[in-house]
Amino acid sequence: MAGGRPGSNPTRDLVRVAFGPSVVALTVIAAVTLLQLLIANSDMTGASGAIASMWLGVHQVPISIDGRELGVLPLLPVLLMVAGTARTTAQATSADASWFVVRWIVASALGGPLLIAAVSLAVIHDAASVITELQTPHALNAFAHVFVVHAIGAVIGVGWRMGRRVLAETSLPDWLADSLRAAVTGMLALFGLAGVVTLASLVLHWGTMHELYAITDSLFGQLSLTLLAVLYVPNVLVGAAAMAVGSSAHIGPALFSAFTVLGGDIPALPILAAAPTPPLGPVWVALLIIGAASGVAVGQQCARRALPLLPALAKVLTAAFMSAVVMALLGFAGGGRLGNFGDVGVDQVTFGPAVFCWFAAIGALTVVMIGGVSRGAVGVRPMLPPAPPRQPEPVPAPAEVVDPPEPGQLFEPDELFEPDEVTGGGELSWTPEPEPPRASDPHPPTQPPGPLEDPEDLMFTDDDGFERPS
């Protein structure tokens, strides 16, 4: 089986794709869990169940402990898992790989994690018999989450290597790659600007963040809170992005948007100190500028290659749609139920449509203003009458080529000229044809004069019979 990098081992590549990212995640989780138990001076009774639960938690599988469900899991680990799967899949795939090889690579990327998920469920079920507070997740839900996470990574990895080939072999428009690039640019701009606003809000609410750190007195506890806050940074950025496009985020009864804020209890997580507090000042309305600026970034990417009107608008709409789908998926993954606090997340009804409207409207306006539309009126080529078929040009007959005589061979006389009259003795006489008169000569030549007559014939005498008059 070939299709990976030149000189690589296909079997080793498939094993790396199947178990590489999952084993790395298990190693990191086991190290953190054992360190936590060691510092807490606890026995290792439930270490295996905790490691298996955290591995499933990386794939956004809800964890239930003592009847309380932890459904709001950090997005950073799952994003790293998707990136790891995409990287290993891309390394095992070459641009000219056959589809049979690609299917094996994708199957390996899905089969290995599903096998580890089955083992993790078995370990959690066994540990739950000893630790009654730990509950086994629903098997179908766990397998679905693991499948979706690694399927997204495998599609990204294979598409990174074979995207141009797929576009060339199918009837998809060639501007689809430009739409994907514009969608990624718009989302990065949205997250980047939302991160700047979040950092500025943390500085403004430094006292609140200090109070949240005060719930623990130990240095290890504060380090643990800092690590947990870093893991939840993508979740907070998704909430800030929802506010920037006109949607809202909520933590139980507490509601946050660019137009209103309803207070409520929030978890003791330092990163949540960036949440606005009532009464809402007019500065938060400036968050809408972030949505407009992100739409401008989408339009700039779409205008890099000018197209007629309809394809240019289709490019922008496709980029806006892909961005809306990805942002809605991130909003869904970053939300869930958080124990007694209730549901946490963004408003799914308005988040995706708001992203689409900002990116589509501002992006299309930007494309038109900066020259992303070519002179084609609607992108349809004019119907011209068919050109008459070209008549083939006459090919001149090839000139007769006379082979040169061989050395020692002479031409026969009849090959040089034709005799006009054969005289005696076998001699040939040749009468040249008279040359035609030249057009530049005004007096064509005449026949040469005959012999002169005798002058005496022109003289008259008396003897000639003429009488002299009297």
Side-chain angles (χ1 to χ4, degrees), residues 63-306:
I63 301 174
S64 298
I65 301 176
D66 197 15
R68 293 186 177 94
E69 180 180 350
L70 179 60
V72 186
L73 297 170
L75 283 176
L76 184 59
V78 68
L79 294 178
L80 293 177
M81 181 64 71
V82 170
T85 303
R87 182 175 182 272
T88 55
T89 306
Q91 289 178 345
T93 307
S94 62
D96 56 348
S98 63
W99 291 111
F100 176 77
V101 175
V102 173
R103 286 194 293 266
W104 268 102
I105 294 174
V106 174
S108 300
L110 300 177
L114 290 176
L115 177 61
I116 297 179
V119 174
S120 299
L121 289 173
V123 170
I124 295 174
H125 182 73
D126 182 68
S129 60
V130 179
I131 305 175
T132 57
E133 293 83 2
L134 185 62
Q135 298 177 3
T136 305
H138 194 273
L140 184 59
N141 188 24
F143 283 125
H145 280 76
V146 173
F147 178 85
V148 170
V149 169
H150 290 272
I152 293 175
V155 170
I156 293 175
V158 173
W160 182 266
R161 290 291 188 181
M162 305 183 63
R164 297 185 181 275
R165 173 182 167 185
V166 172
L167 291 178
E169 293 180 355
T170 59
S171 57
L172 296 175
D174 54 355
W175 47 258
L176 192 61
D178 298 338
S179 296
L180 180 59
R181 186 185 300 109
V184 173
T185 303
M187 290 186 292
L188 291 178
L190 184 59
F191 280 127
L193 296 175
V196 172
V197 173
T198 302
L199 183 60
S201 181
L202 282 176
V203 174
L204 293 176
H205 298 86
W206 187 264
T208 304
M209 186 172 59
H210 186 269
E211 293 176 0
L212 294 177
Y213 268 112
I215 64 174
T216 178
D217 297 332
S218 63
L219 178 61
F220 180 76
Q222 294 182 354
L223 291 177
S224 299
L225 282 177
T226 303
L227 177 61
L228 195 61
V230 171
L231 295 178
Y232 275 98
V233 165
N235 302 63
V236 176
L237 293 182
V238 170
M243 298 174 60
V245 295
S247 183
S248 61
H250 59 274
I251 303 177
L255 179 67
F256 310 96
S257 71
F259 308 101
T260 183
V261 173
L262 299 178
D265 295 334
I266 60 175
L269 190 64
I271 191 66
L272 294 180
T277 55
L280 183 65
V283 66
W284 288 101
V285 183
L287 278 173
L288 300 178
I289 301 177
I290 296 178
S294 303
V296 171
V298 173
Q300 287 178 343
Q301 289 295 320
C302 291
R304 294 180 61 183
R305 188 177 61 170

Side-chain angles (χ1 to χ4, degrees), residues 405-410:
E406 297 181 0
Q409 181 182 359
L410 299 177

Side-chain angles (χ1 to χ4, degrees), residues 313-340:
L313 294 180
K315 185 196 298 186
V316 176
L317 294 178
T318 304
F321 177 76
M322 290 189 291
S323 302
V325 171
V326 173
M327 295 299 292
L329 182 61
L330 290 176
F332 175 78
R337 187 166 184 82
L338 184 59
N340 297 330

